[in-house]
């Protein structure tokens, strides 16, 4: 996925790179994203400053009392209060990030409830998620100061842009004989600039425009660091995240197995069962016809003899229904486990590529054979992706690659030269593939810009 994007970027000429970079820099101050990030830094400063200072005071006071002989209980109570305050402040920070940055994180796992005063105090001190919130609120103090410094770039740029206006209209030029000129602001604390003439104010204006063009990048850098802290300290712990992911994948696996059983039941009921019932009815009719040939059982000797043409027609119908029932049962069995996988995934993909109506270039390098469950998922993913290419892409060629990555993952990649525009979600069949690969901790990534090419990468563990 990312390799494809980087390869496309590397193919650009230096002049194209320069034009692209210039276009990005000129548009950056006017984008909605940069104004949201600037507002986040501006609003986060007072919240981070007040919250960090209050929490630091509480923790210092609580720790000091906790080590004393007489105030230990009061100190522990203050520490637990500080942890609860950090949880509340963390919730406010999460809401602010969700509203302005679109960074939506699940709430921290609730603290365990203890019994009695000392039990509750002990549970509060052992609140791992709460202490992670404490860490974030304390680290947020310097980060919010850096965010305010990033906002300072915007303020200095805006002030300098108005330098000619302030000189000509508001009379901020220096008085005659004044050795100091009109100050020019910079975001660098050390040193300073001044202008002594009206022409010099246009230099200040140019500096202000340059600062406005550069201001989005310090802001973006601070927000990126804050995002990382939010995910690391205010998001769910790795264990909780892993448990939730396992719960989701277990639910997906159960739903997939239920859907498979329902499909088998429907196919058997509407297909093979109907055929076998028709076979049984045909055999009953044949038995009845043959019974008429028994002269001992005839009630009337004038009854018609056996109609061989009708019997032959019934036998042909029974044979046809039995053959179709066997075909449907064979197809059902193939849907559960394709027989071509008995010889390994590369041979199965070769058979799949040979049956494709679009030319498929196959490259397979799998020195270690995956487990049968992984092979089955990889095969069905390849079949579904090729089917999507044939139906929707308008491609003329497909490149199918399967290999084992350096990290021990099985990687299946399908690249086509179609029209592009494929996306996961919104009723797309790719959503089902995402759910299927997630049941074994795999993932599916699709890169499909308008106009193509489309690259779909499936990564699966070698062992389920």
């Amino acid at each position: 996925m990312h390799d494809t994007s980087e390869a496309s970027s590397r193919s650009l000429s230096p002049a194209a790179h320069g034009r692209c970079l210039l276009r990005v820099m000129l548009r950056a101050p006017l984008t909605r994203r940069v104004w949201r990030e600037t507002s986040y830094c501006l609003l986060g400063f007072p919240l981070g400053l007040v919250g960090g200072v209050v929490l630091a005071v509480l923790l210092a006071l609580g720790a000091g009392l906790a080590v004393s002989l007489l105030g230990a209980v009061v100190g522990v109570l203050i520490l637990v209060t500080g942890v609860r305050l950090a949880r509340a402040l963390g919730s406010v920070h999460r809401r602010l990030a969700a509203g302005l940055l679109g960074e939506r994180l699940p709430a921290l796992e609730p603290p365990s409830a203890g019994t009695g005063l000392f039990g509750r105090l002990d549970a509060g001190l052992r609140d791992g998620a709460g202490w992670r919130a404490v860490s974030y609120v304390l680290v947020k103090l310097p980060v919010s100061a850096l965010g305010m410094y990033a906002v300072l770039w915007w303020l200095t740029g805006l002030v300098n842009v108005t330098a000619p206006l302030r000189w000509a209209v508001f009379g901020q030029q220096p008085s005659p004989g004044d050795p100091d000129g009109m100050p020019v602001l910079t975001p660098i604390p050390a040193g300073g600039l001044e202008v002594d003439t009206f022409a010099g104010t246009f230099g200040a204006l140019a500096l202000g425009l340059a600062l406005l063009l550069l201001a989005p990048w310090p802001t973006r850098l601070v927000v990126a660091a804050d995002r990382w802290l939010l995910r690391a300290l205010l998001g769910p712990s790795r264990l909780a995240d892993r448990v939730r992911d396992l719960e989701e994948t277990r639910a997906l696996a159960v739903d997939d197995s239920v859907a498979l059983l329902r499909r088998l039941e429907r196919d058997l009921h509407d297909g093979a069962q109907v055929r076998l019932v028709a076979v049984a009815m045909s055999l009953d009719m044949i038995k009845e016809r043959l019974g008429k040939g028994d002269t001992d059982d005839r009630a009337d000797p004038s009854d018609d003899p056996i109609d061989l043409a009708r019997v032959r027609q019934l036998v042909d119908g029974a044979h046809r229904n039995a053959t179709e029932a066997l075909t449907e049962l064979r197809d059902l069995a193939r849907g559960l486990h394709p027989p071509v996988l008995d010889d390994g995934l590369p041979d199965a993909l070769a058979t799949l590529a040979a049956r494709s109506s679009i030319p498929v270039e196959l490259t397979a390098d799998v020195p270690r054979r995956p487990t049968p469950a992984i092979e089955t998922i990889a095969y069905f993913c390849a079949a579904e992706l090729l089917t999507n290419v044939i139906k929707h892409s308008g491609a003329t060629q497909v490149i199918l690659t399967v290999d084992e990555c350096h990290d021990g993952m099985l990687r299946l990649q399908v690249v086509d030269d179609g029209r592009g525009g494929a996306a996961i979600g919104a009723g797309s069949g790719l959503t089902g593939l995402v759910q299927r690969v997630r049941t074994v901790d795999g993932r599916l990534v699709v890169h499909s810009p308008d106009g193509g090419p489309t690259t779909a990468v499936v990564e699966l563990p070698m062992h389920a």
Side-chain angles (χ1 to χ4, degrees):
M1 254 305 304
H2 299 291
D3 296 340
T4 304
S5 302
E6 292 174 2
S8 302
S9 300
R10 286 195 298 268
S11 64
L12 295 176
S13 64
H17 271 297
R19 289 194 299 269
C20 182
L21 181 61
L22 180 61
R23 191 182 304 112
V24 170
M25 292 190 65
L26 291 176
R27 290 180 178 177
L30 305 177
T31 59
R32 182 179 300 179
R33 172 185 175 181
V34 75
W35 289 111
R36 287 179 177 272
E37 291 176 344
T38 304
S39 301
Y40 179 78
C41 292
L42 190 61
L43 295 176
F45 176 69
L47 180 62
L49 178 64
V50 175
V53 170
V54 172
L55 184 61
V57 171
L58 282 177
L59 293 178
L61 180 61
L65 291 175
V67 298
S68 66
L69 182 62
L70 298 178
V73 176
V74 177
V76 171
L77 183 60
I78 294 176
L79 287 176
V80 173
T81 303
V83 174
R84 297 296 175 89
L85 175 63
R87 275 181 167 270
L89 291 172
S91 177
V92 176
H93 284 294
R94 278 199 307 274
R95 291 193 183 96
L96 184 63
L100 293 176
L101 304 180
E103 189 71 36
R104 291 174 174 80
L105 297 173
L108 294 173
E109 52 267 28
S112 58
T115 57
L117 175 61
F118 291 100
R120 287 193 293 271
L121 291 178
D122 180 69
L125 289 177
R126 296 176 181 271
D127 183 8
W131 284 108
R132 285 193 285 115
V134 169
S135 302
Y136 177 81
V137 173
L138 294 179
V139 176
K140 179 68 176 180
L141 181 57
V143 171
S144 61
L146 290 175
M148 198 62 195
Y149 174 70
V151 174
L152 183 64
W153 284 66
W154 292 98
L155 296 177
T156 54
L158 291 173
V159 171
N160 289 334
V161 165
T162 62
L165 182 65
R166 289 185 288 115
W167 180 290
V169 178
F170 296 100
Q172 293 189 6
Q173 67 270 26
S175 58
D178 190 351
D180 297 327
M182 188 177 75
V184 178
L185 303 180
T186 66
I188 302 175
L193 299 175
E194 297 177 350
V195 293
D196 299 320
T197 63
F198 180 68
T201 60
F202 289 94
L205 184 147
L207 177 62
L209 291 176
L211 290 176
L212 290 178
L213 290 176
L214 294 175
W217 309 110
T219 306
R220 190 161 298 179
L221 184 62
V222 173
V223 170
D226 203 340
R227 283 179 184 270
W228 184 84
L229 291 172
L230 281 167
R231 296 167 184 168
L233 298 177
L234 291 186
S237 64
R238 290 185 177 180
L239 179 60
D241 193 38
R242 179 61 177 163
V243 169
R244 185 174 62 254
D245 188 63
L246 288 175
E247 290 176 347
E248 292 178 356
T249 54
R250 183 189 64 180
L252 290 174
V254 171
D255 292 342
D256 187 62
S257 62
V258 171
L260 177 61
L261 290 175
R262 287 179 178 175
R263 180 175 64 83
L264 290 175
E265 180 184 6
R266 183 180 65 251
D267 291 343
L268 288 173
H269 182 272
D270 298 339
Q273 179 177 332
V274 173
R275 304 292 183 188
L276 293 176
V277 169
V279 170
M281 293 178 62
S282 297
L283 292 176
D284 286 340
M285 295 176 67
I286 293 171
K287 181 180 178 181
E288 181 181 353
R289 292 286 179 176
L290 292 177
K292 292 183 178 181
D294 188 354
T295 56
D296 296 335
D297 296 336
R298 290 187 190 178
D300 186 357
S302 63
D303 285 346
D304 295 334
I306 298 175
D307 188 351
L308 294 179
R310 177 58 178 165
V311 171
R312 187 177 296 108
Q313 183 181 3
L314 293 174
V315 171
D316 291 339
H319 181 269
R320 183 174 58 255
N321 286 325
T323 302
E324 292 177 354
L326 288 174
T327 302
E328 292 176 357
L329 290 173
R330 190 180 299 113
D331 292 338
L332 287 175
R334 186 180 295 111
L336 295 175
H337 179 77
V340 291
L341 284 174
D342 294 340
D343 296 328
L345 182 61
D347 291 341
L349 294 179
T351 303
L352 192 64
R355 295 175 179 173
S356 174
S357 59
I358 297 178
V360 178
E361 179 183 338
L362 174 64
T363 302
D365 182 17
V366 187
R368 292 187 304 141
R369 184 167 182 177
T371 57
I374 298 299
E375 284 189 331
T376 302
I377 293 176
Y379 176 82
F380 281 119
C381 287
E384 181 68 21
L385 290 173
L386 287 178
T387 301
N388 288 343
V389 170
I390 295 171
K391 288 183 177 180
H392 308 295
S393 70
T396 59
Q397 186 179 12
V398 181
I399 299 176
L400 175 59
T401 305
V402 58
D403 56 7
E404 183 179 353
C405 302
H406 62 278
D407 55 357
M409 298 286 286
L410 180 69
R411 180 176 60 185
L412 177 74
Q413 180 173 282
V414 179
V415 182
D416 69 78
D417 60 352
R419 64 178 64 94
I424 298 175
S428 169
L430 297 175
T431 305
L433 293 184
V434 172
Q435 295 177 352
R436 182 183 286 257
V437 300
R438 279 194 63 195
T439 57
V440 291
D441 290 338
R443 67 170 189 154
L444 169 65
V445 181
V446 177
H447 179 66
S448 182
D450 290 335
T454 297
T455 302
V457 180
V458 178
E459 292 183 354
L460 300 168
M462 295 295 290
H463 303 279

